[in-house]
Amino acid sequence: MRGFKKEEVIGTPIWSLLKPEGIEHARKVTVKLLEDEQKGIKTGTIRFELELKCRDDSWIWAEVNSNIHYNADGIMVGLNGVTMSQAQEMAVSMNKSATNLYRLLENLLQWSQIQKGALSFNPEVIPVNQILTESIAMVVEPAKNKGIEITTDISDDLTVFADSNLLQTIIRNLMYNAVKYTDKGGKVNISAKNTVSKNVEISVKDNGIGMDQIILDNLFRADMKPSRKGTEGEPCTGLGLLLCKEFVEKHGGKIWVKSEVEKGSTFYFTIPTTIPNLQN
């Protein structure tokens, strides 16, 4: 990082421009800035120092976009003008955004397949515990970020006659919603049991913010746009619950919910254990 004549940089790889004298100059400037900051003196940035060498327009300067900043002891203390703690916060935020975007795109894809009648449906006898374990694994990270404890109450011998991909989508969306609407340090429980009507009843329970009757009445309606964000500002489209209803009914099951404001919600749905009269 130093001043260069224009003919030196045109068509030249950036890494070949990082000559020792330029790097040494940047290091000295960094040390000076750190010393001034410790003394409470506000000075210009490294960029400003380098720009001073290029004021007559006969020289230009170059820098690598990912500027790593070190202290006088050679320890990395920042990246691209932000501190390490700020960079870590940004990374967490970007991870959350990517996760939310992936969920949305996945739901949109499945919804479009439903509308076109192109949804793949291949039910088979599968262990409930295996499907629940795989589904829970996909929401562990957002739950961990909020300090939410996930517990299970599932018998090892339960089986259902279901499409594994659709069943995972149902459980995953219900689990994401439970985490989304539960405060930090809360709890989410998923359980499964046999019923007398040859079904397995699966429930996802949280101790979150709950829902009033108006919200409950509009939960599974495609013509109602939800507006309530999660406890940490997580986005909501309502598409996940619509998919849950479609997929549960595709299996010949039912889905319902019980909720109380400030006490939490429990979503229930049933999946057959034997071959039922399935929808086309």
Side-chain angles (χ1 to χ4, degrees):
M1 297 183 292
R2 68 176 185 90
F4 297 93
K5 291 183 178 180
K6 295 178 182 179
E7 57 268 22
E8 288 186 277
V9 297
I10 296 175
T12 304
I14 185 67
W15 294 110
S16 68
L17 301 177
L18 301 182
K19 298 181 180 180
E21 61 267 34
I23 296 175
E24 178 62 19
H25 174 74
R27 189 192 69 79
K28 289 179 179 179
V29 172
T30 301
V31 172
K32 181 177 183 299
L33 291 175
L34 289 169
E35 290 175 348
D36 287 349
E37 185 174 345
Q38 291 173 353
K39 297 174 183 177
I41 302 173
K42 298 296 182 181
T43 59
T45 63
I46 295 175
R47 184 186 183 103
F48 176 74
E49 293 280 343
L50 293 171
E51 284 178 336
L52 290 177
K53 293 182 173 291
C54 311
R55 288 295 175 86
D56 63 358
D57 290 330
S58 63
W59 293 71
I60 64 174
W61 64 279
E63 65 176 331
V64 180
N65 285 334
S66 295
N67 293 312
I68 302 175
H69 304 296
Y70 300 88
N71 63 17
D73 297 321
I75 299 173
M76 183 178 176
V77 295
L79 179 68
N80 283 338
V82 299
T83 65
M84 292 304 295
S85 61
Q86 289 173 325
Q88 289 170 347
E89 290 175 3
M90 291 169 63
V92 170
S93 178
M94 290 170 64
N95 181 62
K96 289 180 181 178
S97 297
T99 300
N100 290 331
L101 179 59
Y102 175 79
R103 275 196 62 223
L104 175 60
L105 292 176
E106 188 177 42
N107 285 341
L108 284 172
L109 176 60
Q110 291 182 313
W111 183 255
S112 67
Q113 290 175 328
I114 292 174
Q115 303 307 306
K116 294 187 297 184
L119 184 69
S120 175
F121 184 59
N122 301 299
E124 58 183 337
V125 176
I126 50 179
V128 175
N129 201 21
Q130 174 186 328
I131 293 294
L132 293 183
T133 300
E134 292 173 357
S135 302
I136 291 171
M138 300 187 72
V139 299
V140 166
E141 192 61 30
K144 181 181 177 181
N145 291 336
K146 296 178 73 172
I148 293 173
E149 178 186 6
I150 297 178
T151 58
T152 61
D153 183 14
I154 308 162
S155 174
D156 290 334
D157 59 356
L158 285 180
T159 60
V160 289
F161 185 73
D163 181 292
S164 60
N165 291 327
L166 300 193
L167 183 54
Q168 278 194 0
T169 298
I170 297 167
I171 298 168
R172 188 169 62 249
N173 274 301
L174 293 180
M175 291 291 291
Y176 268 123
N177 273 7
V179 171
K180 181 191 302 182
Y181 294 110
T182 298
D183 290 313
K184 288 183 176 181
K187 295 182 179 180
V188 172
N189 174 265
I190 183 166
S191 62
K193 64 180 182 180
N194 277 316
T195 68
V196 295
S197 55
K198 296 183 179 180
N199 287 315
V200 167
E201 181 185 287
I202 299 173
S203 64
V204 177
K205 180 180 180 181
D206 65 67
N207 63 346
I209 58 179
M211 296 174 281
D212 59 27
Q213 194 58 48
I214 295 176
I215 295 176
L216 289 172
D217 290 342
N218 295 302
L219 269 187
F220 299 105
R221 292 179 55 181
D223 60 332
M224 297 298 295
K225 184 178 179 180
S227 59
R228 190 171 69 156
K229 294 183 177 182
T231 59
E232 294 292 304
E234 300 97 328
C236 175
T237 64
L239 187 57
L241 287 180
L242 294 178
L243 286 176
C244 288
K245 184 175 185 295
E246 288 277 352
F247 292 171
V248 167
E249 293 177 351
K250 186 78 173 176
H251 286 87
K254 296 180 180 179
I255 185 169
W256 67 99
V257 60
K258 295 180 181 179
S259 185
E260 192 172 346
V261 176
E262 300 302 332
K263 291 189 177 181
S265 305
T266 305
F267 282 83
Y268 304 86
F269 68 95
T270 57
I271 296 291
T273 57
T274 57
I275 302 176
N277 181 22
L278 298 173
Q279 297 183 15
N280 295 327

